[in-house]
Amino acid sequence: MKILAVAGSNSETSINKLLVSYAASLIENAEVEIVDMNDFEMPIYKHQREVESGVPQEAKNLAEKIDAADILLVSLSEHNGTYSTAFKNVFDWTSRIKQRAVWNEKPMLLMATAPGGRGGLGVLEAAEKRFPLHGGNIIDTFTLPFFNDNFDKEANVISNAEKNSELKEKVAKIASVEIILEK
């Protein structure tokens, strides 16, 4: 099973990258690739740029990674209640690739975390509405509020037992969806 774990942040100390990496580690016998938005830096999307230069290779590279995956784990950082600029730009460019949907109907666990009490709920709600319009097959969602209080960075694990159990159940659910799809 191939897992593509996407951290929708370009921060070198991304808490969403920590969360999505931890979630991916919960799936046994899987080949995991962690996607860092820094590997997909492109000019800011604008129509004239697309007409003049086409879709950047970085967007095509991400699309290939999505297409090769069996399961997507996506953890989005929240900036002013919605996507980070880095993620939004990658998403916009990838959406411009002809004859394909961004997420290509791959089973997805959509997540977010933040230092505050809402845990990235704003970006999660935005993505839940938008992603299905772009081939997002969202199986479940997860949010981790108060990241610094609920995640042990040294042990790389959710320290809040209730939230850890919730994530484990949701990861098991998406892993079983892929097993069913294989049959």
Side-chain angles (χ1 to χ4, degrees), residues 46-92:
K46 72 177 178 181
H47 180 71
Q48 294 89 342
R49 188 172 283 137
E50 179 185 2
V51 169
E52 292 169 7
S53 305
V55 174
Q57 186 60 45
E58 292 86 352
K60 295 173 185 174
N61 293 346
L62 179 61
E64 288 173 8
K65 290 177 183 300
I66 292 168
D67 293 348
D70 297 311
I71 293 174
L72 303 176
L73 303 178
V74 179
S75 189
L76 299 171
S77 65
E78 183 176 273
H79 293 187
N80 296 317
T82 193
Y83 315 109
S84 69
T85 303
F87 174 81
K88 180 70 166 76
N89 192 51
V90 171
F91 179 81
D92 288 345

Side-chain angles (χ1 to χ4, degrees), residues 134-174:
H134 296 274
N137 179 9
I138 302 169
I139 302 302
D140 214 333
T141 63
F142 176 80
T143 182
L144 181 64
F146 300 113
F147 179 83
N148 296 318
D149 297 330
N150 289 318
F151 195 93
D152 181 340
K153 290 181 183 177
E154 286 185 30
N156 194 38
V157 64
I158 294 175
S159 54
N160 177 308
E162 185 178 313
K163 292 303 280 185
N164 195 40
S165 178
E166 178 187 346
L167 179 61
K168 285 181 176 182
E169 287 176 20
K170 292 180 179 204
V171 168
K173 179 179 176 182
I174 194 160

